Amino acid sequence: MKSGLRLLALGSVLCLVLGGADAPMKLPHGQKTIAVADSGAYTLDTNHVAVLAHVSHMGFSISLFRFGTVEAALTWDAKTPANSKLSAKVDTSSIETNVPGFAEELQGEKYMNVKAFPQATFVSTAFRQKDAQHGEVDGDFTLKGVTKKVTFKVTLVGAGPGFAGGPTMGHVIGIHAETSIKPMEYGFSAFFSEPIVLTIDTEFDKPS
């Protein structure tokens, strides 16, 4: 009987902490429409970002390489999306792979040459909204000192208010973006004859 009372008391305390039995705590969720995204200056959330290079392994499989140090800024114009701007940079030395010692080799002169070219960058030149969840972003992509025009196909994963008082306080735009590059155009050897697919999954945050 006493143990039952203790459990009842514990349940009552938990209900009070969570806002009461009739008022469960509500967490925000991203909406599948860019219409709920506020205009303004957004910065990339470094806690929620993955920049991946999908590289053919001699035609047998696709190897994934992740870059761990990324910065980006988005200026979103909700009324006129075409006026929006995006700039991003990736530290090429932050490349990661599950093959022991291979990341250090990739940083060398034979591959990324990170001492001479410590960053890859992207600066947008055009935004084209297709519908509430899809669009394209053109821009100048620079890798190993070579700049080429690329187009990212962008899918909105979710947008709307973030976690009040949490790391994403304010408003959030979460996206998946994808493009491909021809590595030989950026100074890589003929060993990399297949296009490299670049994918980005991240959230952009704007304070309230």
Side-chain angles (χ1 to χ4, degrees):
M1 184 68 176
K2 290 183 178 180
S3 62
L5 290 173
R6 283 196 294 268
L7 287 173
L8 181 61
L10 177 60
S12 298
V13 171
L14 287 174
C15 285
L16 288 172
V17 171
L18 296 176
D22 295 327
M25 183 170 58
K26 294 182 179 180
L27 295 176
H29 288 275
Q31 303 300 307
K32 305 296 183 182
T33 172
I34 198 65
V36 300
D38 279 2
S39 293
Y42 289 74
T43 55
L44 181 141
D45 181 354
T46 56
N47 291 325
H48 298 92
V49 61
V51 175
L52 302 177
H54 304 244
V55 183
S56 173
H57 180 231
M58 302 175 65
F60 290 107
S61 65
I62 301 297
S63 295
L64 294 182
F65 301 90
R66 180 169 184 159
F67 293 87
T69 304
V70 188
E71 296 179 24
L74 168 68
T75 301
W76 176 248
D77 188 327
K79 291 184 177 180
T80 311
N83 292 336
S84 300
K85 301 292 182 182
L86 172 67
S87 62
K89 58 183 179 180
V90 175
D91 286 356
T92 52
S93 63
S94 68
I95 191 170
E96 303 170 6
T97 170
N98 59 340
V99 180
F102 193 34
E104 290 76 12
E105 185 176 350
L106 290 171
Q107 294 170 14
E109 292 183 8
K110 183 180 178 181
Y111 296 104
M112 300 292 294
N113 195 3
V114 302
K115 288 186 178 180
F117 308 107
Q119 292 182 335
T121 63
F122 176 81
V123 178
S124 68
T125 56
F127 273 66
R128 295 189 301 278
Q129 183 178 350
K130 300 296 184 181
D131 56 37
Q133 276 190 269
H134 302 92
E136 294 180 343
V137 179
D138 300 333
D140 296 323
F141 176 67
T142 301
L143 176 64
K144 295 182 66 176
V146 178
T147 301
K148 296 287 184 181
K149 300 289 185 181
V150 303
T151 296
F152 278 94
K153 295 185 181 297
V154 181
T155 299
L156 175 73
V157 178
F163 296 98
T168 56
M169 180 175 59
H171 291 267
V172 180
I173 298 174
I175 59 97
H176 170 83
E178 183 172 319
T179 193
S180 65
I181 63 171
K182 296 178 180 179
M184 292 176 63
E185 293 184 344
Y186 294 89
F188 289 91
S189 71
F191 180 82
F192 298 93
S193 59
E194 296 293 324
I196 293 176
V197 175
L198 303 177
T199 61
I200 301 169
D201 288 275
T202 192
E203 295 178 10
F204 289 90
D205 301 333
K206 181 178 78 73
S208 296

